[in-house]
Amino acid sequence: MLNIALAKGRLGEEIYSMFEEAGYGVSGMREKTRKLIFSDEQRGLSYFWVKPSDVAIYVERGAADIGVAGKDILLESGADVFEILDMRKGLCRMSVAGPVGYSSKPGETIRVATKFVNIASEFYASKYQDADIIRLNGSIELAPLLGLSDVIVDIVETGNTLKANNLCELERITDISAWLIANKASYRFHAAEIRKLANDLERIVSGKEV
Ligand code: PRP
């Protein structure tokens, strides 16, 4: 049985459509129920719907053999998994944003509000800039508006949230998308199955017929 963790929500459903298109659908997955596990014993497939930020944990610890997680979650958690295929979905970027025209003064400790404290810390460490990282859980854009921070490190997709709050993107840290990941031990035990699945999905990602 191949156990697959997918993120609950719109992006997870789009990802599941790609699995289905690649020939890995199981019945019941589209039901609007509160059920979280859908298995097809004959086909040897079992899907779990998990919280997006938990996919990497399920896979790292082997509760799921494979999963699809955002690069933001992978970078932030530092999960020890194999990143197998860029699914090219959920495209966005991790950026520094702040008030229009903001720039830090040399030697200044910059105050940074973010949900992604590890990504932000590593980014400023790589620039040898002192940063006071302030962990928030949401509505990050409020922080510079209320003087809690100088800038934010957050996900930018359309840029609408920044624009609506008179903020702008100052620096792009990295591009983000959803990645197919595998547990390291599972990848050895189920090597042929996982490679075939990745190849079948790769054809869908690049728009070819399976
Ligand atoms: C994310 C992110 C930004 C917004 C960016 O928030 O934190 O606030 O989306 O998208 P945009 O560039 O298309 O406007 P999310 O909706 O996930 O909620 P959050 O406030 O809990 O982070």
Side-chain angles (χ1 to χ4, degrees), residues 115 137-141 154-162:
K115 273 196 278 197
N137 296 302
S139 302
I140 316 295
E141 292 82 4
D154 202 11
I155 283 171
V156 181
E157 190 180 353
T158 59
N160 290 341
T161 311
L162 291 180

Side-chain angles (χ1 to χ4, degrees), residues 71-72 75 92-95 119 123 171-176:
K71 189 76 178 176
D72 51 336
L75 289 171
C92 54
R93 51 214 187 259
M94 183 68 65
S95 294
I119 293 174
F123 176 69
E171 242 176 307
R172 182 177 298 205
I173 299 176
T174 186
D175 288 328
I176 302 289

Side-chain angles (χ1 to χ4, degrees), residues 68 82-88 178-181 197-203 205:
V68 177
F82 287 135
E83 294 178 6
I84 299 179
L85 176 69
D86 183 350
M87 304 286 293
R88 308 293 303 151
W179 276 75
L180 177 69
I181 56 173
L197 171 69
N199 284 338
D200 292 342
L201 284 171
E202 211 277 328
R203 283 192 210 102
V205 171

